[in-house]
């Protein structure tokens, strides 16, 4: 990946603006300011895309690890049971154990209220 930071580019643009100012070229100075603005937007977008890629890579790694326990998903490296309905919508929501309900001991999703029997107590 390109290893150019905004400050590197900013420095180059400031150098160019200094030269443009030295040459008393107002239009060139204006153009350089425009370029600086556009570059800032592009770098911002680039950072968002990098974050998104990282998130997708994390999700992919997690998907490989998840196993099914009862109707829930579980990451063997963690203690939580995750909601299958929220997971289908791309969200990882840990469910809460609730004992002695009218349908017995269950796990319930705090987000969508998906409820199913506690797979550890069958
Ligand atoms: Zn849910």
């Amino acid at each position: 990946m390109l290893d150019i930071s905004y400050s590197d580019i900013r420095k180059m643009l400031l150098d160019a603006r200094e030269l443009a100012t030295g040459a008393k070229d107002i239009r060139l100075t204006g153009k350089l300011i425009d370029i600086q603005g556009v570059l800032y937007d592009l770098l911002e977008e680039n950072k968002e895309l990098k974050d998104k890629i990282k998130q997708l890579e994390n999700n992919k790694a997690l998907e490989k690890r998840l196993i099914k326990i009862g109707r829930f998903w579980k990451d063997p490296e963690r203690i939580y049971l995750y909601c299958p309905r929220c997971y289908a919508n791309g969200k990882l929501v840990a469910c809460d154990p609730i004992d002695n309900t009218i349908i017995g001991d269950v796990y319930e999703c705090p987000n969508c209220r998906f409820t199913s029997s506690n797979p550890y107590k069958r």
Side-chain angles (χ1 to χ4, degrees):
M1 248 180 237
L2 263 181
D3 192 25
I4 297 174
S5 68
Y6 177 61
S7 59
D8 292 336
I9 295 166
R10 206 173 110 91
K11 171 96 181 53
M12 287 186 251
L13 278 168
L14 283 176
D15 290 347
R17 270 170 63 184
E18 232 175 78
L19 291 173
T21 307
K24 293 189 167 53
D25 193 330
I26 292 165
R27 284 176 57 207
L28 181 57
T29 304
K31 275 280 171 242
L32 287 169
I33 290 170
D34 291 348
I35 291 171
Q36 193 170 329
V38 170
L39 266 174
Y40 183 77
D41 291 345
L42 284 174
L43 286 166
E44 192 69 12
E45 187 185 54
N46 193 37
K47 189 190 172 302
E48 283 168 19
L49 289 172
K50 278 182 184 173
D51 290 346
K52 214 172 262 181
I53 288 171
K54 206 174 182 181
Q55 183 64 48
L56 287 171
E57 282 173 351
N58 285 346
N59 287 354
K60 215 174 163 192
L62 180 70
E63 218 161 278
K64 278 185 190 161
R65 284 206 308 270
L66 288 181
I67 54 169
K68 199 88 178 183
I69 292 193
R71 295 181 66 192
F72 301 95
W73 286 104
K74 186 173 190 316
D75 179 348
E77 293 170 14
R78 290 172 174 264
I79 60 166
Y80 311 111
L81 290 180
Y82 298 109
C83 171
R85 193 189 286 161
C86 288
Y87 181 63
N89 292 322
K91 276 181 284 184
L92 211 54
V93 181
C95 296
D96 303 314
I98 304 172
D99 290 346
N100 302 314
T101 71
I102 47 168
I103 56 166
D105 298 342
V106 299
Y107 268 83
E108 184 190 73
C109 174
N111 183 51
C112 73
R113 301 289 160 202
F114 172 86
T115 302
S116 186
S117 58
N118 184 331
Y120 298 121
K121 292 192 175 178
R122 269 178 195 165

